[in-house]
Amino acid sequence: MLADFKRNRERAFTVKETAILVNRHQKYLPTLMKNGTIPYPTGAQKDGVRGWQIRSYYSESQVKEIRDTLASISMGGARKDGLVTNNKTPTIQE
């Protein structure tokens, strides 16, 4: 049982680590959370409660979803061909 759990569990990343992974500033992520662009992290207390000075974490799959969401947001003006211009977010290979 414990071996299965350890093998299947996902890595957890703090908000700061997540900001580094998606190449954004740590103080920009709360703005994205309030806008509903990205989900709030899960708190480290019982039942995932978040609060003041309680560490919160994103799972590895959530970080991938955040990266995909941010990669789909165009940086700057709209292109005539409708493609997304975003060279700030790392690619899937990176």
Side-chain angles (χ1 to χ4, degrees):
M1 282 270 196
L2 182 60
D4 291 336
F5 169 74
K6 286 183 178 180
R7 184 180 34 220
N8 295 327
R9 70 180 171 187
E10 293 185 85
R11 291 183 59 195
F13 299 97
T14 63
V15 175
K16 183 176 183 177
E17 292 170 336
T18 303
I20 292 169
L21 288 172
V22 297
N23 199 23
R24 295 294 194 278
H25 195 276
Q26 178 182 354
K27 292 183 178 180
Y28 181 57
L29 294 185
T31 303
L32 295 172
M33 291 176 215
K34 290 176 188 172
N35 293 342
T37 307
I38 64 173
Y40 284 93
T42 303
Q45 287 190 337
K46 185 178 179 182
D47 298 327
V49 176
R50 297 184 320 269
W52 177 252
Q53 295 186 340
I54 297 173
R55 284 198 172 249
S56 297
Y57 297 95
Y58 283 109
S59 68
E60 193 172 357
S61 60
Q62 285 178 315
V63 172
K64 289 177 184 177
E65 289 175 17
I66 291 170
R67 193 218 67 82
D68 292 341
T69 301
L70 294 178
S72 67
I73 298 173
S74 184
M75 306 288 281
R79 289 176 47 153
K80 291 181 181 178
D81 58 4
L83 295 176
V84 174
T85 304
N86 187 339
N87 59 358
K88 190 171 184 174
T89 304
T91 61
I92 295 172
Q93 290 81 19
E94 293 176 332

